Amino acid sequence: MGLGRQLVGLGLMVTLVACAADQASELFATAQFEERQHNEDHAKELYQELIHKYPASDFAAKAQARLNDLKK
């Protein structure tokens, strides 16, 4: 594979990772909003979705912490 193709592939990977981070961030923000609205069941669903879809994101650990707090 040529250097040009490698660079395009790398650029695509960076873009995909950035999009996933944005989507994880949006899910986390929405779950927090639901918590503030006292919709804890929906917040829990969103946190679980985030953990399932984006387990490697920084937001997955935050979502798990919020789930643990909500279960108390």
Side-chain angles (χ1 to χ4, degrees):
M1 188 180 322
L3 180 61
R5 281 188 170 178
Q6 288 177 341
L7 290 175
V8 169
L10 179 61
L12 180 59
M13 286 179 62
V14 168
T15 300
L16 291 173
V17 169
C19 288
D22 288 346
Q23 291 170 343
S25 173
E26 288 178 20
L27 263 176
F28 190 80
T30 304
Q32 287 185 311
F33 174 79
E34 291 295 334
E35 276 194 73
R36 287 191 299 275
Q37 299 299 313
H38 306 286
N39 296 325
E40 288 186 6
D41 289 340
H42 190 218
K44 288 177 188 177
E45 290 174 10
L46 293 171
Y47 288 134
Q48 289 170 341
E49 179 181 350
L50 190 158
I51 292 165
H52 177 75
K53 287 185 176 180
Y54 310 104
S57 77
D58 293 339
F59 289 98
K62 294 177 184 180
Q64 186 62 60
R66 290 304 308 137
L67 274 176
N68 294 343
D69 287 343
L70 291 171
K71 290 180 181 179
K72 292 180 181 176

